[in-house]
Each structure stands twice: as structure tokens, then as C-alpha cells.
Amino acid sequence: MTRLDGVEQTRGRLAGPPLTPRTAVIWSVLRTELERRDGDELTVLDVGGGTGGFAVPLAQAGHRVTVVDASPDALAALTRRAAEAGVAARVRALQGDGDALAGLVEPAGVDLVLCHSVLEVVDDPAPVVAALAAALRPGGAASVLVAGQAAAVLARAVNGHLDQAAALAADPAGAAGPRDTLRRRYDAGRAAALLTAAGLVVEETHGVRVLADLLPAAVADGQPAALVELELALAARPPYRDLAAQLHLFARRPA
Ligand SMILES: C[S@@+](CC[C@H](N)C(=O)[O-])C[C@H]1O[C@@H](n2cnc3c(N)ncnc32)[C@H](O)[C@@H]1O
């Protein structure tokens, strides 16, 4: 058994407990879907997949992954990482803009689509989500990770930036003005509505990093296993879920 990117791998399949607060909840949801499809080689599309933190382990688990990303540097790092992991043949790097996704991928050809930390930065998330949904085969699944608005309000407030906290809390898009690095953030209801409007059925919503960003580094670094365990325990439970730094939605295109 080897460890890679917070996921234990064995005989080409994802296995074992995920290890980091940033990824544990997401891998736990994805692992359930992969186990449900046990034995199938899935076609995976990772939009804004960056350097392959999810793509490479999925390829190592035997799936074929296309990563669409706007950044040539990220794609170069992805390609190197895939080669080092011995899965270059199962990872395709495609430079492109998520806003133009519809023109980049074949419709109804994908079993699993990932879109993590991207909908906050694209020009308009609705057509991107429509393109994600259109890329899925009927019965295919979408893993979508977005920034949480409530956590960002609290983070600014506890750091003393009450004006920014107030602006962010009042903004229907969940942004804190022109200097904000993100264009929008979500609560669970708005994120679900975005996916539902594209014809996807939301099956699960989890909070990612409910606690991790709130703890002193000494606690997070000193008790990593306990933190992951607590993140997993709280992820699906309101009100903890709704205060997480990110919200993870798992949705499906109806069969
Ligand atoms: C925060 S990173 C997330 C990477 C990866 N999905 C993850 O969760 O680790 C955002 C990624 O989205 C890419 N990106 C940003 N805007 C994009 C766009 N309009 N179209 C495609 N990719 C984009 C960036 O290049 C970057 O690799």
C-alpha cells in the first residue's frame, strides 16, 4: 500500500481513510461512487483540475481522466505528476476556459465530472454547470466544490475586518467588493439551486474544512488524524456543515 495526495491506494483502487482536512470529505464521497461502480473504468472530466490533486489518484485507480484548465503552468505540472505516477496514458491535459466548456467536451460521454474551486472564479457559473451536466452520461455524477459565504463572513469578522464582513454578508453573490479574490460564494441552498437549474439532482451536501481554518496551526498539525476524524463527523451536520470554508455537492444526471 502506498500513500499519495492524502489517499491510500492499493492494487489500483482507492482505499483506506483519506488523510487531510482539505480532501478527506470529498474523497469519502467519491470513494462511495467508485465502489458503487466497482470494476468499471470510468471516464472522468476534471474542470479546473489544476495540477491533478484529484486527477492523478483517479487515474491510478484505473480511470481515464481529462483535465480542462485555463493555466498552461498547472497543466504542465499535471503532466509531470501523471508521468511520475506512471499514469500519463490515462491523463489528458486540455487547455481551455471553463466558461467555454460546452465547446471543449463531447456531450453525454462522462461518468464523473469534478468541478472544484472553479465556479467562484468563472464569468458566469450557470452555463458552466449546464456544460458539466451536458457532459455527463445519464446516471453520471458531478462532484462540485464551492466557497462558503458564511465562513468567509466569520473569517473577516474575527480578523477585525468588520466592514468587509458586513459587505460580504450583504452581497447576494457572496463577494466582498472589487478587491475580493473570488467573484462569488455560496450557501448550501444557492449552490444546490445552481445545480438543480442545470437538471442535476443533488444527492449529498457536505461541509469541507468546518474546523481546519479555525484552529491554531499547532493543534491542526499536532493532531491531524483527530482533526480529519472530526471533520468527517461534522461534515454532513447542520449547522456545522453550513459554516464550512467550502461546500461539497454530489449530484447526478437523472438516468
Ligand atoms: C483553486 S484551483 C483548484 C484546482 C483543483 N480543482 C483543486 O481543487 O485542487 C482553480 C483552478 O481553476 C483554474 N481556472 C481558473 N479559472 C478558470 C477558467 N475560467 N477555466 C478553466 N480553469 C480555470 C485555475 O487555473 C486553477 O488551476
Short mmCIF file of all heavy atoms in Angstrom, two decimals, residues 22-23 26 46-54 67-72 74-75 81 94-101 104 114-123 128 145 182 246, ligand 1:
data_model
loop_
_atom_site.label_atom_id
_atom_site.label_comp_id
_atom_site.label_asym_id
_atom_site.label_seq_id
_atom_site.Cartn_x
_atom_site.Cartn_y
_atom_site.Cartn_z
N ARG A 22 -8.59 19.02 3.99
CA ARG A 22 -8.97 19.65 2.72
C ARG A 22 -9.63 18.66 1.77
O ARG A 22 -10.43 19.04 0.92
CB ARG A 22 -7.69 20.23 2.09
CG ARG A 22 -7.87 21.24 1.02
CD ARG A 22 -6.55 21.93 0.74
NE ARG A 22 -6.29 22.99 1.68
CZ ARG A 22 -6.79 24.20 1.59
NH1 ARG A 22 -7.57 24.52 0.58
NH2 ARG A 22 -6.53 25.11 2.49
N THR A 23 -9.26 17.38 1.89
CA THR A 23 -9.73 16.42 0.88
C THR A 23 -10.50 15.23 1.45
O THR A 23 -11.14 14.51 0.70
CB THR A 23 -8.53 15.85 0.10
OG1 THR A 23 -7.65 15.19 1.01
CG2 THR A 23 -7.77 16.92 -0.66
N ILE A 26 -14.28 14.92 0.62
CA ILE A 26 -14.53 14.76 -0.82
C ILE A 26 -14.18 13.34 -1.26
O ILE A 26 -14.94 12.68 -1.96
CB ILE A 26 -13.72 15.79 -1.63
CG1 ILE A 26 -14.08 17.20 -1.18
CG2 ILE A 26 -13.98 15.61 -3.13
CD1 ILE A 26 -13.15 18.28 -1.72
N ASP A 46 -12.25 16.58 -15.19
CA ASP A 46 -11.96 17.46 -14.05
C ASP A 46 -11.77 18.88 -14.59
O ASP A 46 -10.76 19.20 -15.20
CB ASP A 46 -10.70 16.96 -13.32
CG ASP A 46 -10.49 17.69 -12.00
OD1 ASP A 46 -11.20 18.68 -11.74
OD2 ASP A 46 -9.61 17.26 -11.23
N VAL A 47 -12.78 19.70 -14.37
CA VAL A 47 -12.76 21.07 -14.90
C VAL A 47 -12.07 21.98 -13.89
O VAL A 47 -12.47 22.04 -12.73
CB VAL A 47 -14.20 21.55 -15.17
CG1 VAL A 47 -14.19 22.99 -15.68
CG2 VAL A 47 -14.88 20.63 -16.16
N GLY A 48 -11.02 22.67 -14.35
CA GLY A 48 -10.21 23.44 -13.41
C GLY A 48 -9.45 22.52 -12.48
O GLY A 48 -9.24 22.84 -11.31
N GLY A 49 -9.04 21.41 -13.01
CA GLY A 49 -8.40 20.37 -12.20
C GLY A 49 -6.98 20.69 -11.77
O GLY A 49 -6.38 19.96 -10.98
N GLY A 50 -6.43 21.78 -12.30
CA GLY A 50 -5.13 22.27 -11.84
C GLY A 50 -4.03 21.23 -12.02
O GLY A 50 -3.90 20.62 -13.09
N THR A 51 -3.27 21.03 -10.97
CA THR A 51 -2.08 20.18 -11.06
C THR A 51 -2.38 18.70 -10.84
O THR A 51 -1.47 17.88 -10.78
CB THR A 51 -1.01 20.64 -10.05
OG1 THR A 51 -1.58 20.56 -8.73
CG2 THR A 51 -0.58 22.08 -10.32
N GLY A 52 -3.65 18.35 -10.70
CA GLY A 52 -4.01 16.93 -10.70
C GLY A 52 -4.15 16.28 -9.34
O GLY A 52 -4.04 15.06 -9.23
N GLY A 53 -4.43 17.07 -8.32
CA GLY A 53 -4.59 16.51 -6.97
C GLY A 53 -5.67 15.45 -6.90
O GLY A 53 -5.56 14.51 -6.10
N PHE A 54 -6.68 15.56 -7.72
CA PHE A 54 -7.70 14.52 -7.79
C PHE A 54 -7.50 13.65 -9.04
O PHE A 54 -7.72 12.44 -9.01
CB PHE A 54 -9.11 15.13 -7.80
CG PHE A 54 -9.55 15.55 -6.43
CD1 PHE A 54 -9.17 16.78 -5.91
CD2 PHE A 54 -10.29 14.70 -5.63
CE1 PHE A 54 -9.54 17.17 -4.63
CE2 PHE A 54 -10.67 15.07 -4.34
CZ PHE A 54 -10.29 16.31 -3.84
N VAL A 67 -8.36 16.56 -17.84
CA VAL A 67 -8.34 17.79 -17.04
C VAL A 67 -8.40 18.98 -17.98
O VAL A 67 -7.54 19.13 -18.85
CB VAL A 67 -7.06 17.87 -16.17
CG1 VAL A 67 -6.99 19.22 -15.44
CG2 VAL A 67 -7.01 16.72 -15.18
N VAL A 68 -9.43 19.80 -17.81
CA VAL A 68 -9.52 21.06 -18.55
C VAL A 68 -9.14 22.17 -17.58
O VAL A 68 -9.71 22.28 -16.49
CB VAL A 68 -10.96 21.31 -19.06
CG1 VAL A 68 -11.08 22.69 -19.68
CG2 VAL A 68 -11.36 20.23 -20.07
N ASP A 69 -8.14 22.96 -17.96
CA ASP A 69 -7.72 24.05 -17.08
C ASP A 69 -7.23 25.21 -17.94
O ASP A 69 -6.67 25.01 -19.02
CB ASP A 69 -6.62 23.58 -16.12
CG ASP A 69 -6.50 24.49 -14.90
OD1 ASP A 69 -5.98 25.62 -15.03
OD2 ASP A 69 -6.97 24.08 -13.81
N ALA A 70 -7.42 26.42 -17.40
CA ALA A 70 -7.00 27.61 -18.15
C ALA A 70 -5.50 27.84 -18.07
O ALA A 70 -4.94 28.55 -18.91
CB ALA A 70 -7.74 28.83 -17.59
N SER A 71 -4.84 27.24 -17.10
CA SER A 71 -3.44 27.56 -16.84
C SER A 71 -2.48 26.55 -17.47
O SER A 71 -2.45 25.38 -17.08
CB SER A 71 -3.21 27.58 -15.32
OG SER A 71 -1.83 27.46 -15.03
N PRO A 72 -1.65 27.01 -18.43
CA PRO A 72 -0.64 26.09 -19.01
C PRO A 72 0.34 25.59 -17.96
O PRO A 72 0.79 24.44 -18.03
CB PRO A 72 0.08 26.96 -20.06
CG PRO A 72 -0.74 28.18 -20.23
CD PRO A 72 -1.61 28.35 -19.02
N ALA A 74 -0.24 25.02 -14.75
CA ALA A 74 -0.88 23.96 -13.96
C ALA A 74 -0.91 22.67 -14.77
O ALA A 74 -0.64 21.58 -14.23
CB ALA A 74 -2.29 24.39 -13.56
N LEU A 75 -1.21 22.79 -16.06
CA LEU A 75 -1.30 21.58 -16.89
C LEU A 75 0.08 20.93 -17.07
O LEU A 75 0.19 19.70 -17.12
CB LEU A 75 -1.93 21.91 -18.24
CG LEU A 75 -3.42 22.30 -18.16
CD1 LEU A 75 -3.93 22.76 -19.52
CD2 LEU A 75 -4.27 21.14 -17.63
N ARG A 81 3.34 15.28 -13.05
CA ARG A 81 2.88 14.48 -11.92
C ARG A 81 2.31 13.14 -12.40
O ARG A 81 2.56 12.09 -11.79
CB ARG A 81 1.81 15.28 -11.20
CG ARG A 81 1.40 14.80 -9.86
CD ARG A 81 0.43 15.86 -9.31
NE ARG A 81 0.10 15.68 -7.94
CZ ARG A 81 -0.62 16.55 -7.24
NH1 ARG A 81 -1.03 17.67 -7.81
NH2 ARG A 81 -0.92 16.33 -5.99
N LEU A 94 -5.98 19.34 -21.12
CA LEU A 94 -6.60 20.14 -22.17
C LEU A 94 -6.69 21.58 -21.71
O LEU A 94 -7.36 21.86 -20.71
CB LEU A 94 -8.01 19.57 -22.41
CG LEU A 94 -8.76 19.92 -23.66
CD1 LEU A 94 -8.01 19.51 -24.91
CD2 LEU A 94 -10.13 19.20 -23.63
N GLN A 95 -5.96 22.46 -22.41
CA GLN A 95 -6.06 23.86 -22.00
C GLN A 95 -7.35 24.46 -22.52
O GLN A 95 -7.70 24.31 -23.70
CB GLN A 95 -4.87 24.67 -22.51
CG GLN A 95 -4.83 26.04 -21.85
CD GLN A 95 -3.77 26.95 -22.41
OE1 GLN A 95 -2.95 26.53 -23.23
NE2 GLN A 95 -3.79 28.20 -21.98
N GLY A 96 -8.07 25.11 -21.63
CA GLY A 96 -9.33 25.71 -22.06
C GLY A 96 -9.97 26.47 -20.93
O GLY A 96 -9.61 26.32 -19.77
N ASP A 97 -10.93 27.27 -21.31
CA ASP A 97 -11.64 28.11 -20.36
C ASP A 97 -12.92 27.43 -19.95
O ASP A 97 -13.71 27.02 -20.81
CB ASP A 97 -11.93 29.46 -21.04
CG ASP A 97 -12.37 30.51 -20.03
OD1 ASP A 97 -13.06 30.14 -19.05
OD2 ASP A 97 -12.02 31.68 -20.21
N GLY A 98 -13.12 27.31 -18.65
CA GLY A 98 -14.35 26.71 -18.16
C GLY A 98 -15.59 27.40 -18.68
O GLY A 98 -16.64 26.78 -18.86
N ASP A 99 -15.47 28.70 -18.96
CA ASP A 99 -16.62 29.43 -19.49
C ASP A 99 -17.00 28.95 -20.89
O ASP A 99 -18.12 29.20 -21.34
CB ASP A 99 -16.33 30.93 -19.52
CG ASP A 99 -16.47 31.55 -18.13
OD1 ASP A 99 -17.57 31.48 -17.57
OD2 ASP A 99 -15.48 32.07 -17.61
N ALA A 100 -16.06 28.30 -21.58
CA ALA A 100 -16.34 27.81 -22.93
C ALA A 100 -16.37 26.28 -22.95
O ALA A 100 -16.11 25.65 -23.98
CB ALA A 100 -15.27 28.32 -23.89
N LEU A 101 -16.70 25.70 -21.81
CA LEU A 101 -16.61 24.24 -21.67
C LEU A 101 -17.45 23.50 -22.70
O LEU A 101 -17.05 22.44 -23.20
CB LEU A 101 -17.06 23.87 -20.24
CG LEU A 101 -16.87 22.43 -19.83
CD1 LEU A 101 -15.40 22.06 -19.84
CD2 LEU A 101 -17.46 22.21 -18.43
N LEU A 104 -15.72 22.37 -25.64
CA LEU A 104 -14.48 21.60 -25.45
C LEU A 104 -14.71 20.11 -25.25
O LEU A 104 -13.82 19.31 -25.50
CB LEU A 104 -13.73 22.13 -24.21
CG LEU A 104 -13.12 23.52 -24.31
CD1 LEU A 104 -12.61 23.97 -22.94
CD2 LEU A 104 -11.96 23.50 -25.30
N LEU A 114 -15.73 16.45 -12.18
CA LEU A 114 -15.29 17.20 -11.00
C LEU A 114 -15.20 18.66 -11.38
O LEU A 114 -14.70 19.00 -12.47
CB LEU A 114 -13.91 16.72 -10.55
CG LEU A 114 -13.78 15.50 -9.64
CD1 LEU A 114 -14.50 14.29 -10.20
CD2 LEU A 114 -12.32 15.18 -9.38
N CYS A 115 -15.67 19.52 -10.49
CA CYS A 115 -15.50 20.95 -10.68
C CYS A 115 -15.28 21.56 -9.30
O CYS A 115 -16.23 21.91 -8.59
CB CYS A 115 -16.74 21.54 -11.38
SG CYS A 115 -16.57 23.28 -11.79
N HIS A 116 -14.03 21.63 -8.92
CA HIS A 116 -13.67 22.01 -7.55
C HIS A 116 -13.00 23.39 -7.54
O HIS A 116 -11.97 23.58 -8.19
CB HIS A 116 -12.70 20.99 -6.95
CG HIS A 116 -13.29 19.62 -6.75
ND1 HIS A 116 -12.53 18.53 -6.38
CD2 HIS A 116 -14.56 19.18 -6.84
CE1 HIS A 116 -13.33 17.46 -6.27
NE2 HIS A 116 -14.56 17.84 -6.55
N SER A 117 -13.58 24.29 -6.80
CA SER A 117 -13.00 25.63 -6.60
C SER A 117 -12.85 26.40 -7.91
O SER A 117 -11.84 27.08 -8.13
CB SER A 117 -11.62 25.52 -5.90
OG SER A 117 -11.75 24.78 -4.70
N VAL A 118 -13.84 26.29 -8.76
CA VAL A 118 -13.81 26.94 -10.06
C VAL A 118 -15.02 27.86 -10.26
O VAL A 118 -14.90 28.96 -10.82
CB VAL A 118 -13.75 25.90 -11.20
CG1 VAL A 118 -13.87 26.55 -12.56
CG2 VAL A 118 -12.47 25.08 -11.11
N LEU A 119 -16.18 27.45 -9.79
CA LEU A 119 -17.39 28.23 -10.05
C LEU A 119 -17.32 29.61 -9.39
O LEU A 119 -18.06 30.52 -9.78
CB LEU A 119 -18.63 27.48 -9.55
CG LEU A 119 -18.91 26.17 -10.30
CD1 LEU A 119 -20.11 25.46 -9.72
CD2 LEU A 119 -19.09 26.41 -11.80
N GLU A 120 -16.40 29.77 -8.43
CA GLU A 120 -16.24 31.07 -7.76
C GLU A 120 -15.51 32.07 -8.64
O GLU A 120 -15.53 33.27 -8.36
CB GLU A 120 -15.40 30.93 -6.48
CG GLU A 120 -15.93 29.96 -5.47
CD GLU A 120 -15.44 28.54 -5.69
OE1 GLU A 120 -15.15 28.19 -6.85
OE2 GLU A 120 -15.34 27.81 -4.71
N VAL A 121 -14.81 31.58 -9.69
CA VAL A 121 -13.93 32.47 -10.45
C VAL A 121 -14.34 32.64 -11.91
O VAL A 121 -13.84 33.54 -12.58
CB VAL A 121 -12.45 32.00 -10.39
CG1 VAL A 121 -11.94 32.08 -8.96
CG2 VAL A 121 -12.27 30.62 -10.95
N VAL A 122 -15.22 31.79 -12.42
CA VAL A 122 -15.61 31.93 -13.82
C VAL A 122 -16.52 33.15 -14.00
O VAL A 122 -17.09 33.67 -13.03
CB VAL A 122 -16.32 30.66 -14.36
CG1 VAL A 122 -15.36 29.50 -14.39
CG2 VAL A 122 -17.56 30.34 -13.53
N ASP A 123 -16.68 33.60 -15.26
CA ASP A 123 -17.51 34.78 -15.51
C ASP A 123 -18.94 34.54 -15.07
O ASP A 123 -19.56 35.37 -14.42
CB ASP A 123 -17.50 35.12 -17.01
CG ASP A 123 -16.13 35.61 -17.46
OD1 ASP A 123 -15.36 36.07 -16.59
OD2 ASP A 123 -15.84 35.54 -18.67
N VAL A 128 -21.53 27.19 -17.14
CA VAL A 128 -20.50 26.18 -16.84
C VAL A 128 -21.17 24.93 -16.26
O VAL A 128 -20.88 23.80 -16.67
CB VAL A 128 -19.45 26.74 -15.86
CG1 VAL A 128 -18.42 25.67 -15.50
CG2 VAL A 128 -18.76 27.96 -16.46
N LEU A 145 -17.31 21.61 -5.79
CA LEU A 145 -16.84 22.23 -4.55
C LEU A 145 -16.85 23.74 -4.75
O LEU A 145 -16.28 24.25 -5.72
CB LEU A 145 -15.41 21.75 -4.26
CG LEU A 145 -14.77 22.21 -2.95
CD1 LEU A 145 -15.48 21.58 -1.74
CD2 LEU A 145 -13.28 21.85 -2.93
N LEU A 182 -12.36 36.33 -4.98
CA LEU A 182 -13.42 35.48 -5.57
C LEU A 182 -14.59 36.35 -6.03
O LEU A 182 -14.89 37.38 -5.42
CB LEU A 182 -13.91 34.45 -4.54
CG LEU A 182 -12.87 33.46 -4.01
CD1 LEU A 182 -13.54 32.45 -3.09
CD2 LEU A 182 -12.14 32.75 -5.14
N GLN A 246 -15.76 25.51 2.67
CA GLN A 246 -16.23 25.11 1.34
C GLN A 246 -17.41 24.16 1.49
O GLN A 246 -17.54 23.44 2.49
CB GLN A 246 -15.11 24.39 0.58
CG GLN A 246 -13.92 25.27 0.23
CD GLN A 246 -12.75 24.44 -0.26
OE1 GLN A 246 -12.21 23.62 0.47
NE2 GLN A 246 -12.37 24.65 -1.50
C1 LIG B 1 -8.17 26.91 -6.83
S1 LIG B 1 -7.57 25.98 -8.19
C2 LIG B 1 -8.38 24.45 -7.91
C3 LIG B 1 -7.67 23.29 -8.51
C4 LIG B 1 -8.33 21.94 -8.28
N1 LIG B 1 -9.66 21.90 -8.86
C5 LIG B 1 -8.36 21.61 -6.81
O1 LIG B 1 -9.44 21.64 -6.22
O2 LIG B 1 -7.30 21.34 -6.26
C6 LIG B 1 -8.50 26.66 -9.51
C7 LIG B 1 -8.09 26.11 -10.84
O3 LIG B 1 -9.03 26.56 -11.79
C8 LIG B 1 -8.34 27.04 -12.92
N2 LIG B 1 -9.19 28.05 -13.52
C9 LIG B 1 -9.45 29.29 -13.07
N3 LIG B 1 -10.31 29.92 -13.89
C10 LIG B 1 -10.60 29.03 -14.88
C11 LIG B 1 -11.40 29.09 -16.03
N4 LIG B 1 -12.12 30.16 -16.32
N5 LIG B 1 -11.44 28.00 -16.82
C12 LIG B 1 -10.72 26.88 -16.53
N6 LIG B 1 -9.94 26.78 -15.45
C13 LIG B 1 -9.87 27.84 -14.64
C14 LIG B 1 -7.02 27.58 -12.40
O4 LIG B 1 -6.03 27.60 -13.39
C15 LIG B 1 -6.73 26.59 -11.29
O5 LIG B 1 -5.98 25.51 -11.76
#
